[in-house]
């Protein structure tokens, strides 16, 4: 195995672990910034290392399009190409196909789509997805799955589930027979649909070959109540000794809840994207720097944050930069990713040091000082066995 | 700030010099030198933690346009924060302020009148009076600052050109009067368009004031490249040797610091 996963501490379902990868030894729970085209928008690699970034996600679809998998391979792989010394993960390319392209047709063979370059029909097969990812050379690669919208119901879900299983087998074969020269870890995307979770587990014949599991197909419009239940179902069914990656998550609150339920890894464009719209992540929630109230506020974004931005800049100055100058996006992206790295580290350390419930309570009390913790969070924490009753005001008093 | 002009190159107007900007840099900046342009005080795309990768102290010379701060923050807020260096987190850098830049503060001579100079900015055309300009200078506290000027294109009438010189001289005196430090760090602005006589007149008048150096402007506004040397020489021949000379938008022998207009556009 090229991936080693060692649990260092637990609280009920929540785990803190050490994830050893070819390029870096990571601590989980961890958040992965998304480096879509081989770079995180607005930050240099040195800055990413400074804020404690361990693992970056690269989008196979975008990279295969431009600059192309062959070129990346010729130049020694994505690590060398982007000069990133730590760990990399690539997705299978399937999600972008379905979400970005107008004419994506899924058959047993693979995903047929219209090339955005010249409009010609193209086909992405499970085998090809593995080949492309192998050329890119990330520490962790993903198997291609039959992606469906979370809001879909009916027989399509079952069709997607079984097809994904067949595709996973094809990915594994391709990986073993043709990618042996590169040591890599293979995730399989473990699609959790509302009705498909438990059945998937049984049928999936969870072999010990797979290094880890990704919980995908979420954060596509489903309500929060369904979201946490699906994550809870999946983490309950998956093996304890392998990492669980919830794709596309996300908001700090969601990460805390999923970690309590037993997930280990996350990725999302949210922190950097929201930075470009002038929104900073703070312990209280968010801070909209575009607001007129910020124009003369001489405090840093977050008094508890020690990142380069909070140590040097006032809200008043940033108010003038955001959405008007590229530097505003850069500085805010830097702060937001620092915040996410700090959150990851706090989750890991609090579990290892045996104070995870206290950390969760502190987090919720800061975000919901009036005690109005959302019901879905309360329900999820009950299942996770984390007592947050001190954070929640009784329902009756909300209406006072 | 201390500027030492070394001996001029024999047979040419070119001269080398040393600019001591103080602070943590003991070594001087060798002139001729370039200023790095900024947007709201920060170089485009290079955050403060990466500025240290550029050669020092040469990369410590930054241009700032007070016009970028017209909308926000308020001058009172800039004062409370502690001035430009504190606000942008660049304490060791040397800021030279002048209104014009190549991207977001373009002189609009049609809009300029006896009350103030007009600039095309991202938030539209703005008229800036000397009093407002000096309020911003006082709050920003740049290391050096140019007085306000009426920069006109090469094709205006002689009468309009002469008016621009008269206004620029009047505004220089106004700015010095409004300066709480009595013009200690002022760079006298020299204009004069494409007229050798007006250039000479302006330069001589500005040199007669007690200024720290000279900002030679009014170039890059339609004059031909062939005209420039003669116009520049008309100015530099009327200026004292020992004081600092800056020019915007071009590079020719006889000046010490250049405000380049293309570096960020090319990089971007």
């Amino acid at each position: 195995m090229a991936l080693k996963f060692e649990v260092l501490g637990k609280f009920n379902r929540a785990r803190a672990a050490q994830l050893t990868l070819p390029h870096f030894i990571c601590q989980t729970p961890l958040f992965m910034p998304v480096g879509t085209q081989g770079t995180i928008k607005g930050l240099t690699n040195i800055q990413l290392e400074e804020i404690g970034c361990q693992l970056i996600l690269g989008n196979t679809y975008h990279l295969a399009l431009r600059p192309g998998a062959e070129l990346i391979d010729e130049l020694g792989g994505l690590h060398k190409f982007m000069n990133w010394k730590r760990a990399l993960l690539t997705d299978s390319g399937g999600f972008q196909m379905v979400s970005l392209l107008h004419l994506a047709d899924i058959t047993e063979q693979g995903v047929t789509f219209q090339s955005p370059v010249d409009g010609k029909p193209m086909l992405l097969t499970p085998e090809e997805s593995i080949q492309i990812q192998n050329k890119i050379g990330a520490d962790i690669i993903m198997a291609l799955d039959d992606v469906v919208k979370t809001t879909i119901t009916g027989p399509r879900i079952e069709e997607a589930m079984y097809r994904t299983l067949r595709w996973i087998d094809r990915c594994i074969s391709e990986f073993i027979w043709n990618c042996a020269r590169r040591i890599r870890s293979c995730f399989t995307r473990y699609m959790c649909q509302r009705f498909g979770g438990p059945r998937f587990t049984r049928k999936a014949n969870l072999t010990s070959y797979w290094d880890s599991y990704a919980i995908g197909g979420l954060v596509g419009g489903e309500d929060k109540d369904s979201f946490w239940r699906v994550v809870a179902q999946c983490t309950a069914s998956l093996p304890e000794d392998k990492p669980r990656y919830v794709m596309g998550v996300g908001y700090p609150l969601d990460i805390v809840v999923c970690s309590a339920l037993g997930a280990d890894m996350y990725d999302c464009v949210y922190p950097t994207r929201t930075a470009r719209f002038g929104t900073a992540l703070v312990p209280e929630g968010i801070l909209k720097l575009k607001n007129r109230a910020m124009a003369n506020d001489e405090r840093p974004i977050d008094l508890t944050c020690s990142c380069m931005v909070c140590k040097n800049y006032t809200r008043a100055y940033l108010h003038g930069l955001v959405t008007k100058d590229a530097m505003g996006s850069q500085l805010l992206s830097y702060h937001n990713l620092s915040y996410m790295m700090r959150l990851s580290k706090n989750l890991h350390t609090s579990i290892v040091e045996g104070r995870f419930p206290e950390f969760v309570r502190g987090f919720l009390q800061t975000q919901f000082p009036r005690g109005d913790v959302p019901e879905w969070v309360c329900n999820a924490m009950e299942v996770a066995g984390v007592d947050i009753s001190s954070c929640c005001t009784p329902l009756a008093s909300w209406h006072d | 700030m201390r500027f030492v002009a070394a001996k001029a190159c024999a047979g040419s107007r070119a001269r080398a010099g040393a600019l001591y900007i103080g602070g943590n840099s003991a070594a001087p900046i060798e002139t001729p030198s370039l200023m790095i342009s900024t947007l709201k005080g920060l170089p485009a795309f290079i955050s403060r933690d990466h500025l240290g990768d550029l050669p020092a102290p040469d990369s410590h010379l930054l241009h700032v346009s007070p016009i970028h701060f017209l909308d926000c923050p308020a001058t009172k807020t800039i004062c409370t924060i502690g001035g430009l260096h504190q606000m942008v987190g660049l304490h060791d850098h040397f800021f030279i302020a002048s209104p014009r830049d190549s991207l977001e503060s373009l002189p609009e001579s049609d809009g300029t009148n006896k009350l103030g100079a007009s600039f095309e900015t991202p938030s539209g055309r703005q008229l800036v009076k000397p009093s407002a300009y000096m309020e911003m200078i006082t709050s920003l506290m740049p290391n050096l600052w140019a007085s306000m000027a009426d920069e006109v294109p090469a094709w205006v009438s002689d009468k309009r050109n002469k008016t621009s010189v008269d206004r620029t001289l009047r505004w220089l005196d106004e700015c010095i009067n409004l300066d709480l430090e009595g013009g200690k760090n002022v760079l006298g602005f020299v204009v004069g368009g494409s007229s050798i006589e007006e250039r000479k007149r302006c330069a001589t008048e500005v040199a007669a004031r007690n200024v720290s150096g000279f900002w030679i402007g009014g170039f890059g506004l339609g004059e031909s490249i062939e005209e420039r040397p003669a116009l520049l020489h008309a100015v530099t021949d009327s200026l004292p040797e020992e004081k600092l000379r800056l020019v915007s938008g071009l590079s020719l022998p006889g000046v010490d610091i250049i405000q380049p207009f293309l570096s960020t556009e090319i990089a971007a």
Side-chain angles (χ1 to χ4, degrees):
Chain A
M1 290 298 132
L3 176 158
K4 219 175 71 171
F5 186 71
E6 195 194 331
V7 176
L8 301 174
K10 281 179 75 95
F11 180 84
N12 292 346
R13 296 171 118 185
R15 324 92 78 71
Q18 183 162 284
L19 174 65
T20 305
L21 296 170
H23 284 87
F24 201 68
I25 300 174
C26 308
Q27 292 181 332
T28 68
L30 68 74
F31 175 79
M32 285 182 274
V34 179
T36 307
Q37 297 190 59
T39 175
I40 308 288
K41 291 188 179 68
L43 277 88
T44 63
N45 290 345
I46 297 171
Q47 290 174 321
L48 287 167
E49 282 180 24
E50 256 166 29
I51 63 175
C53 180
Q54 309 179 78
L55 179 51
I56 295 176
L57 184 145
N59 285 125
T60 298
Y61 171 79
H62 290 289
L63 290 169
L65 218 53
R66 189 179 62 176
E70 291 293 340
L71 182 67
I72 294 177
D73 192 15
E74 265 173 59
L75 294 174
L78 186 59
H79 279 92
K80 263 190 124 176
F81 188 68
M82 59 186 286
N83 194 23
W84 173 247
K85 301 183 176 53
R86 296 184 177 183
L88 282 172
L89 179 150
T90 47
D91 64 347
S92 61
F95 180 73
Q96 267 82 35
M97 298 232 159
V98 167
S99 62
L100 290 182
L101 300 171
H102 298 298
L103 295 171
D105 198 23
I106 302 173
T107 63
E108 187 59 30
Q109 240 196 320
V111 184
T112 314
F113 62 101
Q114 205 180 32
S115 163
V117 174
D118 53 15
K120 287 207 210 109
M122 297 192 63
L123 175 67
L124 180 72
T125 62
E127 289 83 2
E128 207 178 307
S129 170
I130 295 296
Q131 277 173 24
I132 294 172
Q133 291 185 74
N134 192 46
K135 290 189 176 124
I136 294 171
D139 297 75
I140 301 175
I141 67 175
M142 305 276 300
L144 184 66
D145 58 321
D146 183 357
V147 186
V148 295
K149 283 203 175 96
T150 25
T151 41
I152 278 185
T153 55
R156 176 75 182 101
I157 299 178
E158 195 158 345
E159 182 195 32
M161 188 181 83
Y162 285 110
R163 179 172 292 142
T164 297
L165 286 172
R166 292 191 291 276
W167 282 5
I168 284 171
D169 287 337
R170 286 164 63 182
C171 284
I172 302 269
S173 295
E174 181 67 23
F175 181 69
I176 293 172
W177 296 114
N178 296 326
C179 304
R181 63 189 174 94
R182 295 233 183 101
I183 313 288
R184 199 120 317 107
S185 314
C186 186
F187 265 54
T188 80
R189 198 191 299 243
Y190 183 70
M191 253 176 40
C192 285
Q193 296 299 339
R194 212 175 317 171
F195 310 109
R199 282 158 69 205
F200 191 92
T201 320
R202 282 201 297 278
K203 300 286 181 191
N205 184 25
L206 301 167
T207 69
S208 60
Y209 182 81
W210 301 334
D211 294 315
S212 33
Y213 300 90
I215 302 168
L218 290 170
V219 293
E222 75 284 350
D223 58 284
K224 278 293 194 278
D225 206 47
S226 305
F227 164 70
W228 81 259
R229 285 177 205 283
V230 172
V231 174
Q233 252 178 5
C234 292
T235 52
S237 316
L238 288 167
E240 286 277 313
D241 59 342
K242 297 186 179 176
R244 299 113 173 222
Y245 161 30
V246 188
M247 310 185 74
V249 169
Y251 300 123
L253 179 61
D254 295 0
I255 289 178
V256 172
V257 170
C258 290
S259 299
L261 292 170
D264 311 295
M265 298 165 63
Y266 312 93
D267 84 278
C268 198
V269 294
Y270 172 68
T272 35
R273 186 174 287 170
T274 208
R276 296 196 287 278
F277 287 102
T279 300
L281 298 177
V282 290
E284 292 77 14
I286 56 170
L287 190 73
K288 293 193 175 166
L289 284 157
K290 276 196 308 187
N291 267 357
R292 195 112 43 97
M294 300 290 122
N296 296 304
D297 193 333
E298 288 153 37
R299 293 172 290 176
I301 292 174
D302 174 12
L303 278 161
T304 69
C305 180
S306 57
C307 81
M308 180 266 293
V309 178
C310 291
K311 282 212 295 225
N312 288 283
Y313 298 105
T314 57
R315 297 175 184 190
Y317 179 68
L318 293 167
H319 169 81
L321 283 184
V322 293
T323 73
K324 290 188 204 140
D325 285 310
M327 185 59 70
S329 298
Q330 281 175 251
L331 294 175
L332 230 53
S333 295
Y334 185 101
H335 165 79
N336 283 359
L337 284 183
S338 299
Y339 176 86
M340 299 305 290
M341 296 303 116
R342 201 159 48 118
L343 177 67
S344 302
K345 198 169 168 71
N346 283 339
L347 284 166
H348 175 90
T349 327
S350 68
I351 297 171
V352 165
E353 292 176 2
R355 45 179 185 81
F356 180 64
E358 289 94 320
F359 173 75
V360 174
R361 285 194 282 271
F363 179 88
L364 291 173
Q365 272 155 358
T366 316
Q367 283 222 353
F368 305 101
R370 287 186 350 225
D372 50 340
V373 178
E375 204 176 326
W376 72 271
V377 176
C378 298
N379 294 337
M381 287 302 175
E382 200 179 316
V383 167
V386 178
D387 178 15
I388 58 164
S389 48
S390 59
C391 310
C392 306
T393 331
L395 200 61
S397 61
W398 286 13
H399 305 287
D400 287 345
Chain B
M1 187 278 290
R2 194 166 59 94
F3 174 67
V4 177
K7 228 168 157 196
C9 183
S12 142
R13 285 179 154 88
R15 65 204 215 147
L19 181 67
Y20 294 85
I21 61 173
N24 283 336
S25 340
I29 295 175
E30 293 171 344
T31 64
S33 180
L34 291 175
M35 281 185 286
I36 298 177
S37 49
T38 65
L39 285 172
K40 293 200 174 75
L42 288 176
F45 310 117
I46 310 175
S47 53
R48 64 179 301 284
D49 49 333
H50 284 319
L51 279 177
D53 296 334
L54 294 172
D58 306 330
S59 65
H60 286 199
L61 265 188
L62 301 179
H63 173 258
V64 63
S65 167
I67 311 299
H68 295 169
F69 299 99
L70 265 181
D71 285 337
C72 60
T75 51
K76 188 158 164 275
T77 307
I78 299 177
C79 281
T80 343
I81 291 174
L84 177 65
H85 294 78
Q86 178 64 31
M87 186 167 64
V88 302
L90 295 176
H91 304 93
D92 282 342
H93 285 69
F94 194 85
F95 280 97
I96 306 179
S98 82
R100 173 185 174 194
D101 76 353
S102 63
L103 286 172
E104 296 196 356
S105 179
L106 307 168
E108 198 34 75
S109 60
D110 286 343
T112 298
N113 56 38
K114 63 183 177 192
L115 296 172
S118 182
F119 298 92
E120 255 337 308
T121 74
S123 33
R125 199 181 275 197
Q126 308 276 0
L127 186 76
V128 181
K129 300 180 185 175
S131 55
Y133 182 70
M134 287 314 296
E135 208 185 297
M136 286 191 286
I137 294 288
T138 308
S139 67
L140 289 168
M141 295 191 293
N143 301 83
L144 290 174
W145 53 275
S147 55
M148 263 186 54
D150 180 10
E151 290 182 272
V152 295
W155 54 80
V156 299
S157 66
D158 291 344
K159 186 174 170 213
R160 178 67 182 90
N161 195 31
K162 186 179 176 303
T163 307
S164 79
V165 172
D166 294 336
R167 264 184 206 152
T168 302
L169 293 170
R170 200 176 74 237
W171 287 343
L172 169 59
D173 291 335
E174 256 187 78
C175 287
I176 293 177
N177 279 338
L178 288 166
D179 184 30
L180 298 178
E181 295 189 305
K184 182 171 149 223
N185 296 315
V186 72
L187 300 166
F189 212 115
V190 179
V191 289
S194 295
S195 157
I196 301 273
E197 296 78 38
E198 286 300 305
R199 284 279 176 186
K200 267 200 190 123
R201 178 168 81 94
C202 196
T204 317
E205 287 290 329
V206 173
R209 273 79 168 165
N210 187 18
V211 294
S212 287
F214 304 93
W215 187 287
I216 306 168
F219 284 113
L221 291 168
E223 77 285 352
S224 68
I225 296 188
E226 293 80 26
E227 288 180 276
R228 282 184 194 161
L231 293 168
L232 188 57
H233 297 157
V235 171
T236 54
D237 288 349
S238 313
L239 297 179
E241 290 274 323
E242 72 280 4
K243 288 190 182 174
L244 185 66
R245 305 153 176 185
L246 292 91
V247 74
S248 42
L250 48 86
S251 112
L252 282 168
V255 295
D256 309 302
I257 299 180
I258 301 143
Q259 179 190 15
F261 275 177
L262 288 179
S263 52
T264 16
E265 281 125 65
I266 289 173

